Amino acid sequence: MKYLLFTILTCLSFHLSAQQSYKITYSKSYNDKVMPKQDPLLVFTNKDQTVITSEKITQNKAVNPFETFYIDRKQTDLYLRVTNFSPGREMATIDSAILGKNVLKLTDETRQILGYTCKKATTSINSNAIEIWYTTALAIKGAPNEVGQNLGLVLEYSRNGNSKITATKIEKIKRIPSPVGLRDFGNIVDGLTYHDEVWKSRFVQVPIFKDEVINFRDKPQSDSVLRFASGTVILKKVKIPEITNGSQAFVQLIQKSNGDAYDRTGSVFMIAEDQKQTFLDGMKHGMKTLPLYENGNGKQYPGMIRTAGFSPVYELMRFFTPFGVNHFNKRLTLKNKTWQDSVIYRQDISEFISVMSGKEVYIGTYIGNYDKGGHKVSLELTIHPGGESKMAAQKVMPIFNTTNVMEMGGQDYPTFFSEEKGLEVTFNLPEDATDVQLRYVTTGHGGWGNGDEFVPKENRIFLNGQIAFKFTPWRTDCGSYRLYNPISGNFSNGLSSSDLSRSNWCPGTVTNPNYINLGDLKAGQHIIKVQIPQGAPEGTSFSFWNVSGCLIYN
């Protein structure tokens, strides 16, 4: 088939027909308003071929990658998609089946477009109502997309009555210009490969970890990845490219059990390097070398709050592993349930772009566990240009993070919320700030009946002595993730442990941040306080709260 297509296209490149050809220009509109700064869509067509392209492509001004569509009408309507990724690198695929994919209903309704009488055809695509207005007066076929290509010349394509592609000009031309028309394509691949390459070309992937093990070992293995706290923390220095304004950034983690059966706290974090002393210093030289937080309960908590010379880590994403996904999938078989292969956690972290763009940063992942097999993770950052993110241009200041990522390296559980003082941080704002938000992530822990994991507790946040926000973090949707939890405990009442509601988390989920509006703040000293009515210990069981907070401001 490929050889035959090459032969056909080669022959076409040597004798473009002198028959009448047309160039049709289309504009896009929404609610009858022409979309601003658009690149006009062009269709070149005659009896032998149709080309769907854009004005910038014909003027060699298109930004790579760009896609062009071709229909070879001499060879039973072969439909080709071609993408230019960079000068000298292009890829093509044959997708002829798409032309007849949508069943069109023809009507007798007519209207005039550019002086031509057009008939209406309708269809439905992905639950969208489609109207096509086409004319047969020119005895040629063509359309601004794949729908209605064989009806005639489509002069308007409407989706749900508000999004339209409408012809604004029809020009007779002697021939379709050779740089634009159908030609020989050397790299023709299958559709799956093509669409995957096109999709990946639209954003930047920054790989961080690939199938790395996070486990509990006396002597962590030695490789290019830094390992701390007996192997429960992995860390890597990553070069982040310059990120353009308006871009969005996402972090994505894929996790599988590698032997650990339990639901564990996990955190993807980045070392803050805005002050002289960093969290990495404590990881290397001992956590007691970092500033200690004390509130009168007799314990010391290193590396959790911002001081005059130290910043805690930025928490990019809080996640929770399910009960044994992948490793234990064959341990229990239930009718009508197919266990998932892994968990994919993905979160928008665009607010951190300003502190990572164009820099080398340390990004790490923590999963608290005591298992030699532990967990296996892959982590990447993806950067997507052309978005609407306003947060990407804002400044970020880490204030506190009580998630004890160095649990096995000397960082105690944050059990200080039982005191009236709770968590109190005094920080200095170097400049006046407007539209200040506190990005606040909170989860409660204490895994028995009266523990804070299973008891709703109100979180209260104070700024300079005044309450700024209060709410009760609670998740009631944990049963939605049953298929990620093959060995979750099952109870006599028909419930699974993974079904139970929890203090802002479920096994196999991400915990979303709360964005708390703090208004405008003047430069100088401020105090943030977090109070939670933490439950009392019972025997060796105790409750604690993992909370992280950073300021986002203009």
Side-chain angles (χ1 to χ4, degrees), residues 195 379 394:
H195 289 293
L379 180 68
Q394 295 178 314

Side-chain angles (χ1 to χ4, degrees), residues 337-396:
K337 292 189 185 299
T338 302
W339 307 121
Q340 297 296 305
D341 175 73
S342 60
V343 183
I344 299 177
Y345 311 89
R346 183 171 172 83
Q347 191 170 53
D348 187 344
I349 59 162
S350 299
E351 56 264 45
F352 295 103
I353 285 178
S354 63
V355 292
M356 63 171 61
S357 175
K359 300 176 183 177
E360 284 190 315
V361 297
Y362 283 97
I363 295 178
T365 302
Y366 152 77
I367 298 178
N369 73 98
Y370 297 89
D371 190 89
K372 289 185 178 181
H375 302 260
K376 187 173 288 188
V377 300
S378 295
L379 180 68
E380 72 171 3
L381 178 72
T382 63
I383 301 165
H384 306 261
E388 297 292 331
S389 176
K390 295 180 180 178
M391 282 189 171
Q394 295 178 314
K395 294 187 177 181
V396 187

Side-chain angles (χ1 to χ4, degrees), residues 296-506:
N297 68 353
K299 293 185 177 182
Q300 296 178 326
Y301 304 91
M304 291 188 175
I305 68 167
R306 186 180 186 88
T307 66
F310 167 78
S311 292
V313 299
Y314 300 104
E315 185 170 44
L316 305 182
M317 181 171 69
R318 179 90 52 85
F319 67 95
F320 292 87
T321 69
F323 289 95
V325 68
N326 187 273
H327 187 82
F328 294 95
N329 281 8
K330 295 182 180 179
R331 182 67 60 86
L332 178 66
T333 301
L334 296 178
K335 192 172 183 178
N336 298 324
K337 292 189 185 299
T338 302
W339 307 121
Q340 297 296 305
D341 175 73
S342 60
V343 183
I344 299 177
Y345 311 89
R346 183 171 172 83
Q347 191 170 53
D348 187 344
I349 59 162
S350 299
E351 56 264 45
F352 295 103
I353 285 178
S354 63
V355 292
M356 63 171 61
S357 175
K359 300 176 183 177
E360 284 190 315
V361 297
Y362 283 97
I363 295 178
T365 302
Y366 152 77
I367 298 178
N369 73 98
Y370 297 89
D371 190 89
K372 289 185 178 181
H375 302 260
K376 187 173 288 188
V377 300
S378 295
L379 180 68
E380 72 171 3
L381 178 72
T382 63
I383 301 165
H384 306 261
E388 297 292 331
S389 176
K390 295 180 180 178
M391 282 189 171
Q394 295 178 314
K395 294 187 177 181
V396 187
M397 176 187 290
I399 304 296
F400 55 84
N401 188 351
T402 71
T403 305
N404 54 329
V405 299
M406 287 291 287
E407 174 186 348
M408 285 73 171
Q411 195 177 31
D412 205 351
Y413 290 95
T415 56
F416 44 74
F417 290 98
S418 57
E419 306 298 319
E420 182 179 345
K421 185 178 179 182
L423 174 68
E424 187 173 297
V425 185
T426 300
F427 66 94
N428 186 67
L429 195 62
E431 56 198 344
D432 290 350
T434 60
D435 298 325
V436 182
Q437 295 183 71
L438 176 68
R439 182 188 189 268
Y440 181 69
V441 183
T442 178
T443 52
H445 305 269
W448 77 102
N450 296 320
D452 284 5
E453 176 178 333
F454 298 112
V455 180
K457 296 292 181 73
E458 184 179 67
N459 285 219
R460 292 179 293 167
I461 295 92
F462 296 82
L463 175 66
N464 299 328
Q466 301 296 316
I467 191 162
F469 190 71
K470 62 180 180 179
F471 75 113
T472 300
W474 193 244
R475 290 284 293 266
T476 60
D477 61 331
C478 295
S480 303
Y481 307 95
R482 181 69 182 93
L483 294 181
Y484 294 99
N485 291 273
I487 54 168
S488 172
N490 297 298
F491 307 128
S492 59
N493 62 357
L495 285 176
S496 164
S497 175
S498 63
D499 293 337
L500 301 180
S501 300
R502 289 172 167 83
S503 288
N504 215 30
W505 63 276
C506 300

Side-chain angles (χ1 to χ4, degrees), residues 271-316:
I271 302 292
E273 299 185 88
D274 60 330
Q275 298 204 79
K276 183 177 180 180
Q277 192 175 24
T278 73
F279 195 84
L280 181 59
D281 295 329
M283 298 172 84
K284 289 180 175 179
H285 307 301
M287 295 304 292
K288 292 295 179 69
T289 64
L290 299 181
L292 305 173
Y293 178 69
E294 300 177 272
N295 74 344
N297 68 353
K299 293 185 177 182
Q300 296 178 326
Y301 304 91
M304 291 188 175
I305 68 167
R306 186 180 186 88
T307 66
F310 167 78
S311 292
V313 299
Y314 300 104
E315 185 170 44
L316 305 182

Side-chain angles (χ1 to χ4, degrees), residues 6 44 50 55 80 115 155 163 171 174 260 301 379 514 535:
F6 283 169
F44 293 89
T50 298
E55 189 170 84
L80 297 101
L155 298 185
S163 181
E171 304 172 74
K174 291 182 177 180
D260 187 18
Y301 304 91
L379 180 68
N514 291 86

